[in-house]
Amino acid sequence: MLCGVLVEYKLSYFLKKPQKTSLLVSRTWKILAEDEVLWYRLCQEEGYLLDMSISDHSCWKLALKNCRAREHMLKTNWKNRVGAVSQLHYEPGRVLCDVHCCDGVVMAGYSSGEVRLWDTRTWDYAAPVLAAVPGPAGAAALPHVSFVRINSSLAVAAHEDGTVSVWSLLLGREPIHHFQHNQHIQALALAPGGAAVATASGFQVRVESPDDRGFWQTPGTFEIQKLVNFLNLVPDVTGGPVAVAAAEDIVYLLKAEAPGRILHSVYGQPVTCLDVAAHEAAFGIKTFGWLLNEPNQILLYNLETNQCVTKVGNSIGDFSCVNLHSSPPNMLVAGNKDRRHPVRHVWFDSHSLITANIPEEKNPRGSSITEDDPSLHRKYRGVIYSYDFSVDQLAVDSVLPICRSSYDEVSGYNYNIGLAVPYDSI
């Protein structure tokens, strides 16, 4: 404000004496135009380089210019599908079972029972294996992985035999905690910013978390009348963990030491995917076609008011995944089930996108595969794609297989990726 007043004062003074002070005006404006404090504040106001101090750059005018140019290039590349695309490969003969991402780190579980990590932030696609907990005595091999989840500090995997393993990303490959369910695990959740883990087995939802001394305990269990299909923990919650569970056509809000509360229930419309943010939950519903005026959609609910905020999407195929937590405000991205392997996971930031196409069948019939058979056709395996839009180059096939649509369409898709907002907002 002080700088603005000073500029206004000097300008009014110079306008009164234009003939004598024209040179002084130009010189003064040049000094003001090169003021580092002004350019630094302008850069911060536009949302660039927020974690830097004024001494981190010698020319903030140039820094702002470069940031604007980079943002323009990213938006152009997103819209025109220009960039580099890579596949995160695993050895042949294994089927992809589940994928989850956090800040560009990808966690994948396979039919061999192994769990692997990739860090796409450094483009180092070496895939270290996380050591699994040994199975029951006499077991010839690890059961296949049912679910994987990862956040900034922990990684969790659930296997087909009911075993759940928890790793610390800071402490190495060996699990720091594991527990066993007597029945098949239908859903797994990990708090995005904490250490709480939730599992659904049978008709029970169980929450585990470490105390102040690092000892794991069970702060809450919930009995559900139906089998849970999807489970998420609400981020940024004070007090005990809060979970959202989808059981067939009912969505529950579960809080410790409180009875489960029904968030949504419509008979004959099962939930097909689920994700939550701090104050909202988004989930896909399937109509079975008997409601002719309501195609498959994604519903957005407010967790505080229990009210449906909006409905988005208009799809013949089932919505197979939705990302609400890591999306910008008032935006979400969804994957669809209208190809061979549905999109089961989507993660993105300003310059990259990660998608996972996961097969329905983890043990393909008629493929004659053995434990070390390298001949399993890739059409059975599933695939993980990593797209980098900060690379200003065309892919091998000239067009990245995503986000293809015209601007006059309400919504568009290609290869099962559809955006639920105008693309100019990306």
Side-chain angles (χ1 to χ4, degrees):
M1 181 62 71
L2 179 61
C3 293
V5 173
L6 179 63
V7 170
E8 184 179 358
Y9 169 77
K10 287 183 177 294
L11 182 60
S12 62
Y13 174 79
F14 292 140
L15 288 176
K16 294 178 182 178
K17 300 181 179 180
Q19 297 178 351
K20 298 181 180 180
T21 60
S22 58
L23 182 61
L24 183 59
V25 169
S26 300
R27 185 177 303 168
T28 303
W29 273 111
K30 185 177 187 303
I31 294 174
L32 291 174
E34 300 298 333
D35 185 80
E36 291 298 318
V37 176
L38 289 177
W39 287 108
Y40 171 73
R41 289 179 178 175
L42 184 59
C43 192
Q44 296 277 301
E45 289 175 0
E46 295 190 15
Y48 303 123
L49 308 177
L50 297 177
D51 57 342
M52 291 190 175
S53 63
I54 192 171
S55 60
D56 291 335
H57 271 288
S58 59
C59 182
W60 278 97
K61 180 180 179 180
L62 179 60
L64 178 59
K65 180 180 178 181
N66 292 337
C67 288
R68 286 174 173 174
R70 174 180 169 81
E71 182 180 20
H72 176 74
M73 181 195 71
L74 287 173
K75 288 183 177 181
T76 302
N77 288 355
W78 268 93
K79 294 173 184 178
N80 296 312
R81 305 178 305 281
V82 174
V85 57
S86 300
Q87 293 188 30
L88 308 188
H89 288 291
Y90 181 50
E91 61 261 28
R94 304 293 186 265
V95 177
L96 184 64
C97 294
D98 197 27
V99 173
H100 198 247
C101 305
C102 177
D103 297 332
V105 179
V106 182
M107 182 180 185
Y110 294 87
S111 58
S112 62
E114 292 183 332
V115 179
R116 295 193 168 227
L117 297 177
W118 286 267
D119 190 347
T120 65
R121 299 168 300 184
T122 61
W123 290 96
D124 180 7
Y125 292 123
V129 179
L130 297 177
V133 176
L142 291 172
H144 74 71
V145 176
S146 300
F147 303 98
V148 295
R149 296 292 183 268
I150 187 172
N151 62 20
S152 59
S153 58
L154 295 180
V156 185
H159 288 78
E160 184 66 18
D161 64 348
T163 302
V164 180
S165 302
V166 182
W167 295 268
S168 169
L169 299 179
L170 303 176
L171 299 180
R173 298 175 58 250
E174 297 297 327
I176 61 172
H177 177 62
H178 69 272
F179 55 96
Q180 180 77 40
H181 282 277
N182 295 326
Q183 302 181 58
H184 170 70
I185 296 176
Q186 296 114 230
L188 173 69
L190 173 64
V197 177
T199 54
S201 178
F203 296 96
Q204 185 183 79
V205 173
R206 172 179 171 183
V207 180
E208 295 219 354
S209 62
D211 58 19
D212 296 337
R213 298 177 296 172
F215 296 105
W216 286 77
Q217 55 186 357
T218 306
T221 57
F222 307 90
E223 296 295 331
I224 307 296
Q225 300 301 317
K226 296 184 177 182
L227 294 178
V228 173
N229 307 105
F230 304 97
L231 183 63
N232 281 81
L233 286 165
V234 180
D236 305 324
V237 174
T238 57
V242 177
V244 177
E248 300 180 13
D249 51 14
I250 302 178
V251 179
Y252 295 91
L253 183 63
L254 308 175
K255 296 183 179 181
E257 302 179 356
R261 189 173 68 190
I262 294 179
L263 187 67
H264 168 85
S265 178
V266 176
Y267 179 76
Q269 294 189 356
V271 175
T272 59
C273 58
L274 171 69
D275 194 25
V276 299
H279 305 289
E280 295 172 320
F283 47 89
I285 58 169
K286 180 179 177 65
T287 64
F288 284 114
W290 60 276
L291 291 175
L292 299 180
N293 295 328
E294 292 192 26
N296 297 330
Q297 294 180 316
I298 293 178
L299 308 185
L300 184 67
Y301 268 76
N302 187 295
L303 297 179
E304 298 176 355
T305 64
N306 281 27
Q307 299 297 317
C308 181
V309 178
T310 187
K311 299 179 181 180
V312 297
N314 185 346
S315 173
I316 298 176
D318 299 350
F319 286 102
S320 51
C321 70
V322 58
N323 188 317
L324 176 66
H325 172 258
S326 59
S327 299
N330 304 317
M331 295 178 64
L332 59 83
V333 62
N336 208 269
K337 181 185 177 182
D338 53 1
R339 293 292 182 96
R340 177 184 297 275
H341 301 323
V343 176
R344 292 291 186 188
H345 184 74
V346 175
W347 179 89
F348 67 97
D349 59 14
S350 62
H351 61 84
S352 60
L353 170 70
I354 295 172
T355 68
N357 295 74
I358 301 175
E360 296 279 8
E361 181 60 59
K362 305 305 186 294
N363 298 298
R365 298 178 181 178
S367 57
S368 302
I369 60 172
T370 60
E371 186 64 26
D372 57 353
D373 181 13
S375 64
L376 177 63
H377 195 280
R378 66 174 54 200
K379 69 181 180 180
Y380 295 116
R381 302 177 198 162
V383 63
I384 304 172
Y385 284 112
S386 176
Y387 305 92
D388 185 359
F389 297 98
S390 64
V391 179
D392 200 7
Q393 68 182 37
L394 290 176
V396 176
D397 58 352
S398 297
V399 177
L400 297 182
I402 58 172
C403 304
R404 171 181 286 173
S405 71
S406 62
Y407 281 178
D408 55 0
E409 295 177 354
V410 176
S411 62
Y413 89 97
N414 183 261
Y415 207 72
N416 307 341
I417 300 296
L419 301 179
V421 295
Y423 297 164
D424 285 334
S425 299
I426 297 177

